[in-house]
Amino acid sequence: MSEFQQKCSLVGRDRLADDVYRLTLQAPRIAAHAQPGQFVMVRVSDGLDPLLRRPFSIHRVFANGDISLLFKIIGKGTEMLAHCCLGDELDLVGPLGNGFVLPDEGPVCLIGGGMGIAPLLFLAEQLHMTGRETGNDYVLLGARTQDELTPLDEEFAALGYTVQRATDDGSIGHKGFIPDLLDFILPEMTQVYTCGPHLMMENVVRQCRQAEVKCQVSLETHMACGIGACLGCTVNGKRGLVHVCKQGPVFKAENLEWSLE
Amino acid sequence: MESGMRESYGEDTGCPENCNAPDLRVQIGSLALRNPVMTASGTFGYAREFENLVDLDQLGGIIVKGISLQPKPGNPPPRIVETSCGMLNAIGLENVGVDRFISGKMPYLRKLSTPVVVNILGDSVEEYSEIARKLDGVEGVAALEVNISCPNVKKGGVAFGTVPEMAARVTEAVRQASQLPLIVKLSPNVTDIVLMAKAVEGAGADAVSLINTLIGMAIDPVSRRPKLANVIGGLSGPAIKPVALRMVWQVAQAISLPVIGIGGITTANDALEFFLAGATAVQVGTANFYDPSSTGNIVQGLKGYLQEQGEDRLVDIIGTLKIGTD
């Protein structure tokens, strides 16, 4: 596995909603090796506060060596990142972690909640590139409001996926939660991929288990190193603690402990 | 400096490609280092984690994750919290245990040209002895660092590291069990670290390293809960550098053993502060997490500093802190 530490020039900065940003960086070596589901560790400033890098899943990879990151401002680190200017150089380490295991056959469903949508667009593009017929595949996207889903929902739809939306305020799609939409779709699926708030994923995992559909989840945790050295990013697995950065961030759902099962 | 003088230092591993470069070699007891920049235990895994990001053969020394007699699963999550210019951890010494370390990790480590120092820890004096015995004679193990200072385990670490008599007993026991150079890693969570240093010096240590993490905690005001599952953890990173520097300075003046400085070192200037205070070598810890290139940058920065200062050898600046008006 190849990992790189490289200075990456910021070539694109889009504000998608009030506090949601998409950055595009020149990261040719990382882009050349990245798989859907992998992440990068970003140093948000050269200073010492904040000290630690921030993990971000890789949102998109472009043939010209650019990669995109999608994130919401939730603290000091993401605030600083959101205010970077075009031409600024950011120090990245990546690509890190494992990736999603691509399906052998059958329709799949990608389920993203909030910023959990980020790694799924890379996955969706990769699946599309394999020449797969995406007409029977679903993408379920959830967010607080319509603003947070646009233009992401259109980007999935442009790849041929059937996109369904759920928003907390009902401003677009179903008013409510993603799992509400899943019951109708799940019987047709062979594989579910999900990333998002823990409670949402717990519900998705429970539904998949009941329907006997395979499910891969991508987890988010605090990390210090991202490469398996600090051992700080543990979560509860079925057979003891597991490290999200090395054994994940993508896990088979059945290998983790879920409280709603 | 004339090239002829360089030859008197013997086989040079510090500057083989350029004999005008300053000599960074240092000696920790019988352990010879090509340069004084080591990686601190618990921040560098078993080294392989960094193989794509760091030129492992250019480090002064690698100190691997603390090893116990039996594998340890560590503490429940959450285990780390970022703080201002630092981080708290309560990993709980998760490690593979000494047998799996020898069979599974050493084959890779012994292929490196960099000395590998194994950090060891136990719940009892006997456990320290047994681990030391198992590692003695294992090809590729260059030295032991005795961890008597981890704040994140209930038994062992803290008691051994805060009572001089206990620290001396552990040191003596390991000394008897192993021929390897013996570094004892001291805790800052004591009233008088000089007493601890003198205790282990008298018990047969070849060097001391300091400091381990400072005990701290962080609280989430919304949930009103501690941010670490273990409630308390060890503070590391640049936030602790002034404390570490003070302790290194105090200990270096009080004992005759080499002192290895640890605590918030990120840049060559950070490392230089420790050398001037009396450290013979330094360990880079938390910086490995946020900037894997820091060890290499420090080595280059030290060379640059010595050249600017007209110094030929790093050892000549150790302990040259000027105090007062002279």
Side-chain angles (χ1 to χ4, degrees), chain A residues 1-5 43 48-54 93 222-225 227-232 234-235 241 243, chain B residues 42-45 49-50 52-53 65 73 75 77 79-80 82 84-87 91 94 238 286 289-293:
Chain A
M1 191 176 292
S2 297
E3 298 154 353
F4 308 95
Q5 179 176 2
R43 193 143 188 228
L48 298 176
D49 194 14
L51 187 70
L52 301 177
R53 289 170 184 266
R54 300 297 192 256
V93 174
H222 289 293
M223 294 178 185
C225 71
I227 59 173
C230 73
L231 307 180
T234 41
V235 295
L241 295 169
H243 301 116
Chain B
T43 67
F44 211 62
E49 293 85 342
F50 285 85
N52 292 322
L53 303 173
K65 176 83 184 146
N75 289 330
R79 291 174 165 191
I80 54 169
E82 188 175 38
S84 300
C85 301
M87 63 176 276
I91 305 300
E94 176 182 339
T286 302
F289 299 153
Y290 61 84
D291 187 7
S293 65

Side-chain angles (χ1 to χ4, degrees), chain A residues 104-171:
Chain A
D104 296 328
E105 56 172 5
V108 300
C109 182
L110 282 52
I111 305 173
M115 292 303 102
I117 294 170
L120 300 184
L121 188 56
F122 186 11
L123 175 63
E125 289 180 330
Q126 189 88 351
L127 289 173
H128 182 68
M129 271 173 51
T130 61
R132 168 189 183 81
E133 177 56 57
T134 52
N136 295 321
D137 295 338
Y138 277 80
V139 173
L140 308 185
L141 302 176
R144 285 182 311 181
T145 71
Q146 178 178 1
D147 290 349
E148 290 183 6
L149 288 184
T150 308
L152 299 165
D153 53 353
E154 291 154 18
E155 290 167 354
F156 283 99
L159 296 168
Y161 295 89
T162 304
V163 178
Q164 296 194 353
R165 307 162 185 85
T167 48
D168 293 356
D169 63 0
S171 53

Side-chain angles (χ1 to χ4, degrees), chain A residues 33-87:
Chain A
H33 290 84
Q35 298 296 319
Q38 289 190 294
F39 65 100
V40 291
M41 296 291 285
V42 181
R43 193 143 188 228
V44 299
S45 88
D46 292 334
L48 298 176
D49 194 14
L51 187 70
L52 301 177
R53 289 170 184 266
R54 300 297 192 256
F56 295 99
S57 56
I58 299 170
H59 175 53
R60 293 184 89 166
V61 167
F62 299 93
N64 68 354
D66 290 351
I67 65 169
S68 286
L69 310 176
L70 177 74
F71 65 95
K72 180 184 279 192
I73 295 176
I74 52 167
K76 188 158 45 179
T78 41
E79 176 89 44
M80 292 172 80
L81 204 54
H83 291 103
C84 287
C85 301
L86 295 185

Side-chain angles (χ1 to χ4, degrees), chain A residues 170-193:
Chain A
S171 53
I172 192 170
H174 169 71
K175 182 176 180 180
F177 301 113
I178 282 282
D180 303 342
L181 301 171
L182 190 56
D183 279 335
F184 306 101
I185 297 166
L186 208 46
E188 308 302 320
M189 297 295 124
T190 59
Q191 174 80 60
V192 165
Y193 298 92

